[in-house]
Amino acid sequence: MGYIAIKGGETAIEEAIKLLDYLRTQNSTESPLSLETIRHQLHFLHSRVLSEGGLYHPELASLAIKQSAGDTLEAAFYLRAYRSTRPRLGETPLHNGKAIRLIRRISAAFKDIPGGQMLGPTSDYLQRLFRFELLDESPDTFRKIAKSWLKETPYEILPTTFPKVLDSLRQEGLLPPFIEHYQPPFDITREPLIFPVSRSAALATMARAETGSILAIAYSNMRGYGDIHPTVAELRVGYLPIQLPHPVTGELIEIGEVLMTECEVIAMYELDENKGKPTFGLGYGACFGHNEVKAIAMAILDRALQKGTKQGPSNPSEDPEFVLLHIDGIESMGFASHYKMPHYVTFQSDLDRLRTTQNNYKDEK
């Protein structure tokens, strides 16, 4: 009897997996999504999966989105699982955000910044109204959009790098001095989080956090369960050149570039322990892909966690253990999904205890 139940369960599972493919292909008149279509036309979804998966592989991120039918948590899970099977061939040196080839760069702290504001591609200034012409967008119309933009937009040669907004504030003594003190970054893929954790461990955890969860906790700080009150000093989106030492000569060579979002926020001033004078506090956020909300939320929480580490947490957003153990989408999804698994034995035990308690209650009455 037990053998029949097991075989029946296996068959049901196999059919459930087949149904996922049927769900994706049930309208046979449609064309399958290409990986390039997903990468370009679902730009922000693609970026989100890159970030939360913690692996910069644009092609596999597109495949993960296609295979998971657009479920971002499942898609990120595919990337994480794949990454765990790959050997580590080397480590890059430290990279500076100044080297990012920018497609967008803004500051909310100053109107005029060195190099100028660069709005770039953004929906910040759109009215949230439907563009109904997209309902029946022909391939010709689709192609004309890019062609007309390239034809009508004047081409300007941009500088290869832009100075950081924070550099001028640091020169004025309004920010803590930058201290060159290199420590090997904490590897969250190989070492467990044991509290208290280093700042690099916190930043690495937040860099691949689920966007909604990190935003929710940062929002609690913005609403009053915290005291950060940040101003975005600089928000950058662009392609960061990646360098590795040449295997023979040892010289650094560029091997490619990754799309990244970087954010630096200025927080309320505080007393500098070294100089004894007040300076602004800083928060930093960076993640794969084009994901500005996540980078801003990360920078706010970075500042909040620094404050909580120094002074002791006064709210959840300043508690490293609370924040870092609750923002990983893969872990959160796994724990929530496990409730769908069979709990027959434990629930039967709960039923028996409740029935016994109710019978004893009746007898006492």
Side-chain angles (χ1 to χ4, degrees), residues 100 102-125 162-166 231-238 261-266 290 292-293 295-296:
I100 292 178
L102 295 174
I103 63 173
R104 173 163 159 79
R105 181 227 192 187
I106 61 168
S107 172
F110 303 101
K111 178 181 178 181
D112 297 316
I113 55 177
Q117 307 264 9
M118 182 192 293
L119 296 188
T122 178
S123 60
D124 287 351
Y125 316 105
F162 285 78
K164 286 290 188 106
V165 172
L166 295 179
T231 301
V232 173
E234 190 168 4
L235 178 68
R236 291 179 169 224
V237 182
T261 305
E262 181 187 54
C263 179
E264 291 169 315
V265 300
I266 302 172
H290 188 172
E292 299 174 23
V293 167
I296 293 171

Side-chain angles (χ1 to χ4, degrees), residues 26 56 254 352:
Q26 56 185 308
Y56 194 84
E254 185 176 325
D352 291 342

Side-chain angles (χ1 to χ4, degrees), residues 175-219:
L175 291 174
F178 183 77
I179 302 174
E180 289 280 358
H181 181 61
Y182 175 75
Q183 288 183 332
F186 187 93
D187 189 346
I188 61 171
T189 67
R190 294 188 173 189
E191 301 176 51
L193 287 178
I194 300 176
F195 296 90
V197 297
S198 64
R199 187 183 178 200
S200 70
L203 288 172
T205 303
M206 290 191 287
R208 66 175 195 173
E210 200 268 330
T211 303
S213 60
I214 196 172
L215 173 61
I217 299 178
Y219 183 49

